[in-house]
Amino acid sequence: MTLTDQLPPTPDTDPDALLDGFTSWTAEQGFELYPAQEEALMEVVSGSNVIVSTPTGSGKSLIAVGAHFTALANKQRSFYTAPIKALVSEKFFSLVDQFGADNVGMLTGDSSVNPDAPIICCTAEILANIALRDGERAEVGQVVMDEFHFYAEPQRGWAWQVPMLELPQAQFVLMSATLGDVTGFKKDLTRRTGRETAVVSSAERPVPLTFRYAMTPLHETIEELLNGRQAPIYVVYFNQASAVEQAQALVSMNVASRAERDAIAEKLGDFRFTAGFGKTLSRLIRHGIGVHHAGMLPRYRRLVEQLAQAGLLKVICGTDTLGVGINVPIRTVLLTGLTKFDGSRTRHLKAREFHQVAGRAGRAGYDTDGYVVVQAPEHVIENERALAKAGDDPKKRRKVVKKKAPEGFVSWGQKTFDKLVEAEPEPLTSSFNVTHAMLLNVISRPGDTYAAMRELLTDNHEDRPAQRKHMLRAISIYRALVAAGVVEQLDEPDEQGRLVRVTMDLQFDFALNQPLSPFALAAIELLDPASPSYAVDVLSIIEATLDDPRQVLGAQQAKERGEAIARMKAEGVEYEQRMEMIEDITHPQPLAEMLEAAYGTYRQGHPWVSEHELSPKSVARDMYERAMNFVEFVNHYGLARSEGLVLRYLADVYKALRHTVPDDAKSEELGDIIEWLGELVRQVDSSLLDEWERLRNPGEDDSGAESVDEGPAKLTDNKRAFRVQVRNAMFRRVELAARERFDELGELDGEEGWKAEDWQAALDEYFAEHEELGTDADARGPSLFMVTEESERWLVRQVFSDPEGNNDWGISAEIDLPASDEAGVAVVRVTDVGRFDQY
C-alpha cells in the first residue's frame, strides 16, 4: 500500500478523515504514532503552521510525510527542504517509495527531476530563489523545512528566512531537534500567513538518555562501555586525523570476538577496498571497528553504516558529521572533547552543537536506553590519578608534578559538561543577507519591484540598524546593475506591472548551479580549438569556476614548495633566500592570467559575478597530465584521509564538463577526457554517479540494495574511457622515464620483470642517442599511441617523442582485460622498452 491509495476523492475532505487515512497507512507500515507526532499531524491537517521542536529519534520525518500527504489531498504543491544535497536526495527516494515517482520531483541546482511534480524536494536556496522570483504568486501551498536550525548559519541562513517572508500563502512546517525559544517565529508566521501557528515541543525522548562524565583513560572508558553492553559506541572527534588514529589504537583491544569477526568477513564478501585508506579501513572493520567522516569515499561510509545497522561494528570513530543525520543505530555517543575549531578559532561547543551530536545516542526501534559520555581532558585524568596515588599525605601530594594542558588548549571540564547538558539550545538569530541574485530575482517578479524590495528590506527578522545596512547595500547593487546595463528603468509599467526590468535572460538557477558557468562559456570562446592544449585548457576553465577542494590545493602547494626547496638546496641557495622565494609558490594555476583578465571584462557586464570567486586550479588536469590513476594521485599528494573530497571534486568536474560545455565545443580529445573522468569516478565509487543517473528513472527497482557493495560496471565495457586510461598508464611511464625516475618505474613494473635496473639499462641506450624525451601535448598525442585489440588482451605501443622526430623508440605492453575489470584500473604488463627495429 502506498500513501496515494489513501488519498480522498475530493480536496475538501474533513481533517479528521485525512488524519484517519494517514494513520491507516502508518498502521499498515507498523508505525505507532508518538503523542507529539499525533499532535503535530492534527495541527497540519487543520491547516495550521506547525513548529516541531522534538528530540532526535522522535519521528519528525513521519510528520513531514503526513504534511505532504495533506497537501497532496488538498491539491496543493508542497516543498521539502534540507540543508545538504545528500539529504535532499535521500528524502526524494524515500518519498518516491511512499507516493510514487509521478508525484515527487527534486531540484538541487545540480539535478532537476520531474520539476512539475506536486511534491518537490529541494535545497533551501532553491525554494528561496522561487520565493524571491515569484512571491505570493508562487505555486507553493506548503513548505516543510527540515533541520531548521540552519536558519542561524551565517552564510546560508538567509535561505531559511526568505520563504517565510515571501510566501504568505503557504502553510509552514518547521522542524529541528535544537530550535531553542521559538516564540518569535510563532508570532511572525501567524502575522504573515493569517494561519494559527502551533508549537509542538517535547523534552521526552522515545529513548531516554543518560549523561556521564568519564574520568578514566579513553581505552578504559571504551572497555567499560563494551563490557556494560552499551555498544555500538560512536567515539566523536572534531578532526578526521584523530578519529582514524584512535580507531587504529583500538585494534589491540579485541573489540570483536572470533565469531563476530567471521560474521563481518562473510558480510563483506568480495567488497573491493582500494589501496591507500581502503587497506587501513579493511583492517579496522575486520576487527569490528568502523571509521566515519566526510573525507572518506561515500561507499566506505555507506559500508560502515550498513555493517553498523547489521550490528557487526561495536565501535565507530568519527567526526561530528554524525550530527548531520546518518541512519546508524548508536547506543552510546562518546565525545572526546567539548571544543572545536570553527575555521578561525578553537571554541567551546554551543549547546545546540552538543545536543545535536548527543541526540544521536539511543535509536528508537533499536534501543531502550541511550548513553552520552564525555571524556575528561587527558591531562586532567593523569593529574587526578597521580594525586590519588599520593593518597592523603600532604607532602606527597605537593610533590606531584602536574601535567600541563597541551599548547593552545581551550580549558573545559565537568562544569562545562554540566552546563551543556542542562542548557537549552541558543535562540536562533537572523542571518539575512542582500546579494545581486536577490535583487535580480525580485526585479524579475511581476508587479511593483520597488514596493516588493522595500517590504523585503524593512519587514525581515533583522533589527533596524542591520536593515539600514541592507538598504544601503541594495541601493549600491541596484546602481551597479543599472550602470552595467543589466537592469533598466521604464517610463511606464510594462504588461506585468514592472517599472524595472532585467535586460537579459537569466536561467532559473543562475545563482545556484555553478554561478560562473556562463562565464566559462564565454571564456571557452577565447580558446583556439586547433591548439594541442585546447582540451586541457577547457578543463582548466571549468575547474576555475568550481569550489576549491582546499585540502588538495594545500597538498599541491606543499609538494611544489618541497620540490623547490630541494632544488634550491642542491643549487646552494641560502636558507633565508629559500624561505623568501617559496612564499610566491602556490598550487598550479593554469591560464590564471588569461582567466583573470577575461573575468574582469566579463564582470563589467555581469556585476553579480563579483560575489563569486574565480579560482584557477589544476586537480583533474594535474591528474590527467601526470597520467595518474586515482590511487596514484592520492598517494602522490598524501591525501588518503581526504580521498572522498578528491573524488567528489572530480565528480563535480565531470558533471560540469558534461552539462556546461556545448557539444560544438567538445573536441575528440575533450570527449575522451570526459569519458575517462566519468569512468574513473565510477570505478572508484560508483554511487557518486550512479545515483545521479538513477534520478532520471526514480521509479526503477533498486535491486541489490541489501548488498554492501553493488560495485561498478566492468571497466572495459566503456571502451573509449578504458582506452584513455591505458594511454595515461603508458604515458605515465614516459613521464617517469623522461625524468629518469627509475625507482618509480621499478615500483610500477618490477613484479612483471621490469625492475629499476632494467629500466635504467634500456633508457641509458635511448639517452645515448637523444638528449631528451618529450612529454608535451604532442608527445602524448594519439598518433604516438597504438593499440591492437584482442578478446582477452590489448597489445599497445607508446612511441617516444624524440627531438629529431625519428619516433623509433618506445614501450610495448600487454593489457590484461579480465584483470583490469577485477582491479578497476588498467593492468599493464610491459613487455619491452627500446628501439622498435630491435624487437
Side-chain angles (χ1 to χ4, degrees):
M1 181 188 297
T2 67
L3 267 168
T4 51
D5 298 325
Q6 299 295 318
L7 289 172
T10 59
D12 55 351
T13 303
D14 179 76
D16 290 335
L18 267 182
L19 187 59
D20 287 344
F22 183 73
T23 54
S24 295
W25 176 80
T26 58
E28 180 77 19
Q29 304 301 310
F31 299 135
E32 183 177 347
L33 296 180
Y34 299 127
Q37 289 175 311
E38 194 165 0
E39 180 186 352
L41 288 168
M42 288 175 64
E43 297 290 352
V44 168
V45 298
S46 299
S48 298
N49 301 312
V50 186
I51 302 174
V52 183
S53 179
T54 59
T56 301
S58 59
K60 288 185 286 295
S61 294
L62 197 60
I63 296 172
V65 174
H68 293 304
F69 173 77
T70 302
L72 197 60
N74 291 325
K75 308 300 181 187
Q76 293 178 324
R77 198 171 192 222
S78 60
F79 281 71
Y80 168 89
T81 74
I84 59 176
K85 294 174 186 176
L87 291 180
V88 172
S89 178
E90 181 182 306
K91 191 67 174 181
F92 167 77
F93 286 113
S94 174
L95 290 175
V96 164
D97 291 340
Q98 292 155 346
F99 291 97
D102 291 342
N103 287 316
V104 187
M106 184 174 78
L107 299 168
T108 64
D110 287 333
S111 305
S112 174
V113 181
N114 197 14
D116 297 321
I119 301 172
I120 294 292
C121 299
C122 63
T123 54
E125 285 84 354
I126 288 283
L127 180 60
N129 224 26
I130 293 171
L132 288 168
R133 187 168 291 200
D134 296 330
E136 57 187 285
R137 294 181 179 85
E139 191 185 349
V140 181
Q142 183 193 82
V143 174
V144 179
M145 303 190 88
D146 206 353
E147 306 288 349
F148 185 70
H149 56 274
F150 272 78
Y151 170 96
E153 284 288 303
Q155 301 303 317
R156 301 180 60 203
W158 67 272
W160 275 259
Q161 181 174 165
V162 161
M164 292 189 289
L165 306 180
E166 296 295 312
L167 300 174
Q169 76 278 15
Q171 176 189 34
F172 285 86
V173 180
L174 313 179
M175 306 190 303
S176 174
T178 53
L179 285 180
D181 181 13
V182 296
T183 306
F185 293 114
K186 179 180 178 179
K187 292 179 179 178
D188 189 68
L189 277 175
T190 298
R191 174 177 69 86
R192 291 178 188 277
T193 65
R195 302 171 184 262
E196 290 296 318
T197 301
V199 177
V200 177
S201 61
S202 172
E204 183 179 346
R205 288 173 48 95
V207 179
L209 290 183
T210 300
F211 292 88
R212 179 162 71 88
Y213 189 73
M215 286 294 294
T216 49
L218 183 59
H219 67 280
E220 292 183 18
T221 304
I222 293 174
E223 282 182 348
E224 183 183 341
L225 292 170
L226 290 171
N227 294 333
R229 298 183 179 278
Q230 293 178 18
I233 306 161
Y234 196 94
V235 185
V236 180
Y237 282 88
F238 291 97
N239 67 78
Q240 297 172 5
S242 297
V244 176
E245 288 168 7
Q246 180 57 50
Q248 291 173 310
L250 293 175
V251 169
S252 61
M253 281 183 57
N254 293 324
V255 169
S257 66
R258 176 74 261 176
E260 289 167 335
R261 292 199 296 271
D262 289 343
I264 291 170
E266 183 179 354
K267 183 73 173 176
L268 285 175
D270 57 356
F271 185 94
R272 193 174 76 201
F273 291 95
T274 55
F277 181 70
K279 301 303 180 186
T280 299
L281 183 63
S282 175
R283 176 170 171 263
L284 293 171
I285 283 176
R286 294 176 195 280
H287 281 80
I289 303 163
V291 176
H292 195 285
H293 63 70
M296 294 168 60
L297 295 178
R299 69 188 186 95
Y300 288 162
R301 291 205 311 275
R302 190 172 66 253
L303 172 66
V304 170
E305 292 164 14
Q306 290 175 333
L307 292 174
Q309 288 163 354
L312 295 174
L313 297 181
K314 298 285 190 65
V315 180
I316 303 172
C317 298
T319 60
D320 58 338
T321 51
L322 180 76
V324 178
I326 63 169
N327 184 25
V328 173
I330 297 297
R331 184 165 297 166
T332 301
V333 169
L334 172 56
L335 288 96
T336 59
L338 294 177
T339 60
K340 68 181 293 185
F341 182 71
D342 63 6
S344 58
R345 63 187 180 92
T346 300
R347 56 165 175 80
H348 289 132
L349 294 183
K350 296 177 181 177
R352 173 169 292 106
E353 293 167 331
F354 175 77
H355 288 293
Q356 198 71 31
V357 176
R360 297 296 165 184
R363 302 292 286 178
Y366 292 95
D367 305 307
T368 55
D369 295 282
Y371 304 91
V372 179
V373 181
V374 171
Q375 190 70 24
E378 186 178 327
H379 68 281
V380 172
I381 295 173
E382 289 190 24
N383 291 338
E384 285 296 316
R385 289 206 157 186
L387 289 171
K389 189 175 181 180
D392 296 329
D393 188 333
K395 290 183 180 179
K396 288 183 179 180
R397 292 177 70 88
R398 281 196 298 270
K399 289 182 180 179
V400 170
V401 179
K402 291 188 176 182
K403 184 175 181 179
K404 293 182 179 180
E407 187 176 348
F409 179 77
V410 175
S411 180
W412 60 271
Q414 183 153 8
K415 288 183 179 179
T416 314
F417 165 71
D418 292 338
K419 187 183 295 185
L420 285 171
V421 171
E422 296 298 326
E424 290 291 321
E426 299 84 0
L428 297 174
T429 55
S430 173
S431 297
F432 189 80
N433 191 26
V434 177
T435 64
H436 287 79
M438 179 179 284
L439 259 72
L440 286 168
N441 276 317
V442 174
I443 290 170
S444 299
R445 184 193 305 181
D448 188 340
T449 299
Y450 297 115
M453 200 67 211
R454 183 165 52 248
E455 184 174 358
L456 179 62
L457 294 172
T458 59
D459 191 19
N460 51 50
H461 297 168
E462 300 278 279
D463 59 24
R464 192 59 182 163
Q467 288 178 349
R468 290 194 188 96
K469 290 181 181 178
H470 294 318
M471 290 179 207
L472 291 174
R473 175 162 171 75
I475 291 169
S476 173
I477 291 173
Y478 176 72
R479 287 172 176 168
L481 291 171
V482 170
V486 177
V487 165
E488 67 177 2
Q489 296 172 294
L490 304 175
D491 295 331
E492 297 180 359
D494 66 10
E495 64 277 6
Q496 292 186 307
R498 300 187 187 96
L499 279 169
V500 183
R501 72 179 182 92
V502 180
T503 60
M504 59 182 66
D505 291 330
L506 300 172
Q507 75 271 26
F508 169 73
D509 54 1
F510 77 97
L512 297 167
N513 185 13
Q514 301 310 337
L516 293 180
S517 293
F519 165 72
L521 295 179
I524 288 171
E525 293 180 0
L526 301 177
L527 300 178
D528 177 6
S531 168
S533 65
Y534 172 76
V536 287
D537 287 344
V538 172
L539 177 56
S540 289
I541 289 173
I542 294 299
E543 288 201 70
T545 66
L546 300 178
D547 291 338
D548 287 347
R550 297 195 181 280
Q551 289 94 322
V552 183
L553 304 188
Q556 287 179 318
Q557 182 183 53
K559 191 83 170 177
E560 293 275 340
R561 288 183 172 183
E563 292 176 355
I565 287 173
R567 287 194 301 271
M568 287 186 279
K569 277 184 178 180
E571 295 166 4
V573 179
E574 294 296 328
Y575 173 81
E576 290 78 8
Q577 189 177 358
R578 292 201 304 267
M579 293 302 100
E580 184 179 334
M581 292 172 69
I582 66 167
E583 284 300 314
D584 296 329
I585 297 176
T586 182
H587 58 83
Q589 298 183 20
L591 307 185
E593 190 173 333
M594 182 272 276
L595 285 171
E596 292 292 352
Y599 185 57
T601 302
Y602 185 83
R603 190 165 47 199
Q604 293 174 12
H606 307 78
W608 65 86
V609 301
S610 61
E611 293 166 1
H612 307 283
E613 184 180 354
L614 185 72
S615 180
K617 51 188 169 289
S618 177
V619 178
R621 177 172 179 164
D622 188 28
M623 181 182 294
Y624 182 74
E625 290 188 324
R626 289 181 184 273
M628 289 180 170
N629 61 37
F630 182 79
V631 172
E632 289 170 340
F633 185 83
V634 166
N635 291 340
H636 180 72
Y637 287 113
L639 292 165
R641 286 175 178 158
S642 301
E643 59 185 8
L645 171 77
V646 179
L647 195 69
R648 279 191 295 275
Y649 174 80
L650 295 176
D652 287 343
V653 176
Y654 169 69
K655 293 176 186 178
L657 284 169
R658 278 191 58 181
H659 288 274
T660 301
V661 181
D663 287 341
D664 59 5
K666 292 176 181 174
S667 65
E668 184 174 353
E669 185 182 358
L670 182 57
D672 287 345
I673 290 175
I674 294 172
E675 287 294 320
W676 160 76
L677 191 54
E679 195 60 35
L680 180 148
V681 173
R682 187 171 283 110
Q683 289 297 322
V684 175
D685 191 334
S686 61
S687 66
L688 275 176
L689 295 183
D690 286 351
E691 180 174 288
W692 184 52
E693 301 289 356
R694 188 160 62 97
L695 291 171
R696 300 177 184 183
N697 299 289
E700 289 188 357
D701 177 50
D702 186 17
S703 58
E706 297 301 316
S707 171
V708 296
D709 183 27
E710 298 168 30
K714 284 185 178 181
L715 176 64
T716 57
D717 285 350
N718 186 337
K719 189 174 289 187
R720 185 178 186 183
F722 184 62
R723 184 185 179 95
V724 177
Q725 191 174 124
V726 171
R727 195 173 74 192
N728 282 352
M730 294 296 287
F731 198 74
R732 173 75 177 145
R733 288 159 172 81
V734 173
E735 286 200 317
L736 293 174
R739 289 180 285 169
E740 301 185 42
R741 300 283 182 84
F742 305 122
D743 288 342
E744 293 180 50
L745 286 165
E747 289 175 9
L748 283 175
D749 301 307
E751 290 185 9
E752 302 300 326
W754 276 85
K755 297 180 173 58
E757 55 268 25
D758 300 312
W759 274 100
Q760 182 169 0
L763 291 168
D764 281 348
E765 293 185 35
Y766 172 85
F767 285 115
E769 293 186 26
H770 306 287
E771 290 186 2
E772 61 182 33
L773 173 54
T775 59
D776 58 11
D778 290 329
R780 69 174 301 148
S783 64
L784 299 183
F785 177 72
M786 290 158 277
V787 178
T788 301
E789 298 182 14
E790 298 180 1
S791 60
E792 296 290 307
R793 66 174 186 171
W794 285 2
L795 301 177
V796 299
R797 178 174 288 183
Q798 177 65 57
V799 179
F800 289 166
S801 174
D802 60 79
E804 294 76 25
N806 295 329
N807 299 338
D808 55 356
W809 276 76
I811 306 170
S812 295
E814 175 185 293
I815 313 301
D816 188 325
L817 302 187
S820 297
D821 284 332
E822 185 176 348
V825 293
V827 174
V828 179
R829 297 188 177 118
V830 173
T831 55
D832 214 332
V833 180
R835 188 193 294 274
F836 293 136
D837 58 15
Q838 294 176 348
Y839 61 88

